[in-house]
Amino acid sequence: MKPYDYLIVGAGLFGAVFAHEARSKGKRCLVIDRRDHIAGNVYTQQVEGINVHRYGAHIFHTNSKEVWNYVGRFAEFNRYTNSPVANYHGQIYNLPFNMNTFNKMWGVVTPAEAKAEIQRQRDAAGITQPKNLEEQAISLVGTDIYEKLIKGYTAKQWGRPCDQLPAFIIRRLPVRFTYDDNYFNALYQGIPNGGYTAMVERMLEGVEVRLGVDYLQEKAQLDALADRVIYTGAIDAYFGYQLGALEYRSVRFETEVLDTDNYQGNAVVNYTDAETPYTRIIEHKHFEFGTQPKTVISREYSAEWKVGDEPYYPVNDDKNSALYARYQALAGEEKKVRFGGRLGEYRYYDMDKVIESALAAAREELA
Ligand SMILES: Cc1cc2nc3c(=O)[nH]c(=O)nc-3n(C[C@H](O)[C@H](O)[C@H](O)COP(=O)(O)OP(=O)(O)OC[C@H]3O[C@@H](n4cnc5c(N)ncnc54)[C@H](O)[C@@H]3O)c2cc1C
């Protein structure tokens, strides 16, 4: 008999939820992660008493009552509501585009006035068949919003000017004709008090965890320990990149402690001009209404990705989707292994969706 029923590769949300479910069904689990911490990309690290989102700002939001109740078992959530602002050459606009944005931009007061102004700018641009992202954006929200709030930001995000990006990237844009600055439409939203790491720690209570262990470097020995493997690492890495590497977009963070209690007055400020090299500044304490004497900020730079860099956003274009389908076919042959999570399935998952997916995997495995 092997010492474990399940070897779970990755202590991120997928791995932690799966491990929790398996343990509660009496399964013997070993969780490993090659990083020196648990929680994967939702990891929060305490700096100056502030929970810093090391791999990018994470705001929990969901429409699923089941998921909301589930996470509520491991953490109490605060009332944080994501309301980012855009800074365009020192002028502040509310996001997502809503009546506050239109009022600041044009002085309009009623939804009818805002709609009329957008329509006037659309008509003036005369675009009927948008050929690229620039034309698509102008045809959706008019020239002013495009020029001040979309053009520079999107170009920085993708590393290319908007007239060289495909229109489909912004098929729709969130536009609201109410004075509502809540970025998400979700029914439930918040940040776990005490940070995500503490929440994942509670999920992993009673489960053996080994950190600093790279599965792919000790695969044979680790496989011998368990009957089944739940693998949440990158699918192409699992197969030694034998069909080529799947592509990602990456993000680089520059994090700084500042000797002030409040740097920018909001958790998220987007810099929408082209000249500022970063896309956003995150001030972490505002996620938890922090009153610490200092503050921690992270400047986010969008970055090209190469093998070895931290993979963030999968590039789900035709080329990469086709390559992933070929890896998926190989994965189907690995009878002992289940691939899950954002890297194992090469898809962008919000946290609630990755939890749903791990719960579904656990139901199947443990039936
Ligand atoms: C910049 C950014 C911001 C985001 N913001 C939000 C947000 O605001 N709201 C939201 O709902 N979602 C957000 N997300 C999505 C969220 O991060 C994911 O849903 C979640 O992290 C996915 O969890 P996971 O377990 O699939 O993957 P991960 O958290 O990546 O966990 C996988 C783990 O596997 C480990 N691993 C990989 N290979 C190996 C190996 N060979 N051996 C051992 N261990 C290995 C990794 O070290 C990692 O810890 C954001 C994502 C990004 C990129």
Side-chain angles (χ1 to χ4, degrees):
M1 192 163 115
K2 297 192 166 148
Y4 301 98
D5 299 304
Y6 284 100
L7 170 69
I8 297 157
V9 180
L13 271 182
F14 191 101
V17 167
F18 186 93
H20 181 84
E21 294 302 302
R23 180 181 179 269
S24 68
K25 291 272 174 1
K27 301 294 179 192
R28 299 157 306 150
C29 298
L30 171 63
V31 174
I32 59 167
D33 203 297
R34 65 178 178 195
R35 290 172 172 167
D36 62 0
H37 60 75
I38 59 163
N41 272 17
V42 308
Y43 174 63
T44 45
Q45 179 182 27
Q46 287 244 332
V47 179
E48 300 288 341
I50 297 162
N51 289 308
V52 172
H53 298 210
R54 162 102 78 91
Y55 302 93
H58 278 75
I59 298 123
F60 198 90
H61 57 98
T62 186
N63 280 316
S64 161
K65 192 162 191 171
E66 188 199 348
V67 171
W68 185 244
N69 287 340
Y70 188 79
V71 290
R73 287 163 51 191
F74 306 101
E76 203 176 317
F77 279 70
N78 69 16
R79 61 149 191 88
Y80 178 80
T81 301
N82 196 30
S83 302
V85 296
N87 181 325
Y88 179 75
H89 293 309
Q91 286 179 322
I92 296 295
Y93 294 93
N94 289 102
L95 297 173
F97 309 138
N98 71 76
M99 285 306 299
N100 288 312
T101 328
F102 308 141
N103 176 264
K104 176 84 183 257
M105 187 81 67
W106 304 312
V108 295
V109 172
T110 67
E113 288 167 354
K115 283 181 186 167
E117 183 55 31
I118 290 176
Q119 192 59 48
R120 193 189 65 72
Q121 296 196 7
R122 274 187 195 137
D123 293 347
I127 297 159
T128 46
Q129 294 271 302
K131 290 188 297 297
N132 53 47
L133 192 146
E134 174 172 293
E135 295 188 356
Q136 175 76 6
I138 293 171
S139 73
L140 288 172
V141 288
T143 317
D144 288 346
I145 293 181
Y146 169 69
E147 288 289 338
K148 292 186 174 175
L149 302 181
I150 298 175
K151 187 177 178 179
Y153 189 83
T154 311
K156 285 190 283 190
Q157 249 187 334
W158 292 90
R160 266 190 288 163
C162 290
D163 59 2
Q164 289 172 32
L165 286 165
F168 78 82
I169 296 179
I170 50 162
R171 274 275 169 265
R172 288 176 296 131
L173 276 173
V175 177
R176 245 182 233 155
F177 294 95
T178 51
Y179 287 92
D180 179 4
D181 294 329
N182 180 352
Y183 194 81
F184 297 115
N185 284 317
L187 282 175
Y188 310 102
Q189 180 172 184
I191 303 282
N193 288 330
Y196 289 96
T197 308
M199 177 177 93
V200 175
E201 221 162 59
R202 271 176 227 122
M203 288 175 174
L204 289 171
E205 237 162 49
V207 176
E208 185 179 341
V209 179
R210 295 186 199 162
L211 297 173
V213 180
D214 190 329
Y215 172 66
L216 298 175
Q217 292 192 350
E218 307 169 38
K219 187 168 179 311
Q221 299 94 299
L222 289 163
D223 279 344
L225 296 178
D227 296 326
R228 299 269 303 148
V229 176
I230 305 295
Y231 176 81
T232 73
I235 189 167
D236 53 356
Y238 181 95
F239 293 106
Y241 303 101
Q242 59 180 266
L243 305 173
L246 290 161
E247 290 169 324
Y248 287 86
R249 245 332 293 129
S250 199
V251 188
R252 185 168 59 79
F253 302 102
E254 267 177 22
T255 297
E256 224 185 312
V257 177
L258 299 179
D259 201 3
T260 171
D261 66 337
N262 188 0
Y263 174 71
Q264 62 182 13
N266 206 37
V268 183
V269 178
N270 291 6
Y271 284 78
T272 57
D273 63 288
E275 294 75 27
T276 305
Y278 40 85
T279 50
R280 313 197 292 181
I281 296 184
I282 305 301
E283 188 170 10
H284 300 267
K285 70 190 310 178
H286 295 309
F287 288 123
E288 297 183 61
F289 312 104
T291 53
Q292 299 84 352
K294 293 192 181 184
T295 196
V296 182
I297 61 164
S298 297
R299 293 187 182 82
E300 287 189 15
Y301 299 81
S302 191
E304 290 292 336
W305 175 88
K306 53 185 184 332
V307 174
D309 289 351
E310 201 59 66
Y312 281 108
Y313 298 104
V315 181
N316 291 114
D317 58 7
D318 292 346
K319 180 180 134 203
N320 285 288
S321 301
L323 182 56
Y324 171 62
R326 292 172 66 207
Y327 276 120
Q328 225 181 349
L330 290 180
E333 305 291 305
E334 300 285 299
K335 297 299 174 212
K336 183 179 161 162
V337 185
R338 177 187 278 269
F339 292 74
R342 66 181 194 99
L343 299 167
E345 296 173 66
Y346 189 61
R347 57 179 284 189
Y348 180 83
Y349 265 128
D350 271 328
M351 289 181 274
D352 60 331
K353 297 295 176 199
V354 93
I355 290 170
E356 262 172 10
S357 165
L359 288 172
R363 271 194 295 271
E364 265 180 47
E365 284 281 333
L366 307 165

